[in-house]
Amino acid sequence: MDLVDVHCHLTTYSAGELDEVIKRIEAEMSLVVTSGITPADNLKSLEIARNSEKILVTFGLNPVSLGRDEKLFDEYLEAVYANSKVVSGIGEVGLDYYWEKEESRRAKQREFFPRFIDLARELGKPLIVHSRSAMKDTLAILERHTPDKFFIHSFRGSPSQARKLVDLGGFISLSTAMVRFPRDYTKLINSVPLEYILTETDAPYLAPRKGEQNYPWNVRESIAFIAQVLDQDMEDVAKQVYKNAISMFGMV
Ligand SMILES: [Zn+2]
């Protein structure tokens, strides 16, 4: 079965465990995208991606850190341009009002978000959007300033917000937390066509079961869940989600 995890953080595993994780990715997965969140984490992620043809890397910048220290942006830009041939996407970037309560710093996040959108467009790469407790403002920016290719990772908005994103040409990426919150996710899955849905883990976070560490291959449980909601064959769902990921990351 074609299993894809379009958003995880492989840098959080210990070196010993990482070898095992990569082996299992090689054996069981079709595509895994690991996303960096700091300048150092981006470079570490890049090194990991070099170990496997199945692992792509994207360079991101934590919105909370950027809102507090805008000098990070120039350092980020430099690293993206220097590695633009091997970086497969811009993100995760976006807005985080959960960890940032201060309005002037939230405003800084909003000021920089369009610059990442411009960068993704300029480089012809997808934008991986992080939006936490900030969906209204995220959507407002994306409406005014629409990227060519993008998805919101670990989407937890409403069905109507999901439809709005799809109208803008965006995809929604649903995490393995769907197994824990079946009612919310059933509504979301039914609110947009399968052609706009991606699967992710956000590993090591958002595991199917509370308190556990998450792993990329757990997306198998998401595929089973989606298949059940849509009353479709797991194979067919997996194939479509894989197709969606391939078109997002421009591999066709
Ligand atoms: Zn993440």
Side-chain angles (χ1 to χ4, degrees):
M1 194 167 7
D2 280 316
L3 296 177
V4 297
D5 180 357
V6 296
H7 184 84
C8 64
H9 301 283
L10 297 181
T11 51
T12 52
Y13 300 113
S14 68
E17 189 176 25
L18 183 61
D19 289 343
E20 292 306 310
V21 169
I22 291 174
K23 253 184 232 157
R24 230 180 127 173
I25 286 172
E26 286 286 330
E28 296 182 31
M29 310 282 302
S30 295
L31 180 69
V32 171
V33 183
T34 188
S35 293
I37 52 169
T38 67
D41 191 47
N42 287 331
L43 296 179
K44 224 171 127 191
S45 305
L46 178 63
E47 285 313 307
I48 293 172
R50 286 211 167 103
N51 290 324
S52 170
E53 299 232 313
K54 293 190 173 174
I55 303 174
L56 301 181
V57 60
T58 71
F59 276 16
L61 202 48
N62 181 318
V64 177
S65 309
L66 180 60
R68 295 173 183 198
D69 178 10
E70 51 183 286
K71 285 195 297 292
L72 285 170
F73 189 75
D74 291 333
E75 189 181 346
Y76 170 83
L77 264 188
E78 207 173 296
V80 169
Y81 284 124
N83 296 289
S84 66
K85 286 207 177 83
V86 278
V87 169
S88 296
I90 299 303
E92 58 186 294
V93 294
L95 304 180
D96 193 318
Y97 295 172
Y98 181 83
W99 292 110
E100 185 56 81
K101 308 288 184 208
E102 223 241 282
E103 182 44 44
S104 69
R105 289 167 171 175
R106 287 180 173 181
K108 268 276 173 266
Q109 296 182 17
R110 289 194 296 275
E111 181 191 318
F112 274 99
F113 187 28
R115 298 183 65 179
F116 291 107
I117 297 173
D118 288 341
L119 178 65
R121 244 197 230 138
E122 177 196 325
L123 298 175
K125 296 183 193 291
L127 185 80
I128 296 99
V129 180
H130 170 97
S131 177
R132 192 155 182 208
S133 307
M135 195 56 76
K136 222 177 123 224
D137 284 356
T138 305
L139 270 171
I141 291 172
L142 289 170
E143 269 172 359
R144 280 198 313 266
H145 216 99
T146 311
D148 295 331
K149 284 197 288 186
F150 73 102
F151 64 90
I152 296 201
H153 101 82
S154 293
F155 182 81
R156 283 302 301 264
S158 67
S160 73
Q161 287 171 329
R163 282 190 291 271
K164 210 172 268 177
L165 280 170
V166 165
D167 286 343
L168 294 175
F171 286 42
I172 61 170
S173 179
L174 302 177
S175 84
T176 31
M178 72 173 73
V179 179
R180 281 167 56 195
F181 307 100
R183 209 187 310 171
D184 291 357
Y185 280 94
T186 297
K187 276 190 215 142
L188 273 181
I189 291 163
N190 280 319
S191 65
V192 301
L194 181 60
E195 285 72 19
Y196 290 90
I197 291 177
L198 295 163
T199 52
E200 70 168 78
T201 57
D202 206 14
Y205 318 108
L206 305 181
R209 279 156 301 275
K210 201 174 177 220
E212 280 182 14
Q213 175 152 276
N214 208 356
Y215 296 95
W217 46 87
N218 286 340
V219 293
R220 188 186 297 276
E221 295 186 50
S222 302
I223 294 295
F225 183 89
I226 297 169
Q228 192 194 359
V229 170
L230 299 178
D231 193 21
Q232 283 188 32
D233 204 63
M234 263 180 86
E235 282 289 343
D236 295 340
V237 171
K239 205 176 286 171
Q240 183 60 51
V241 171
Y242 177 61
K243 232 170 123 184
N244 300 345
I246 292 291
S247 81
M248 176 61 61
F249 286 95
M251 295 162 83
V252 281

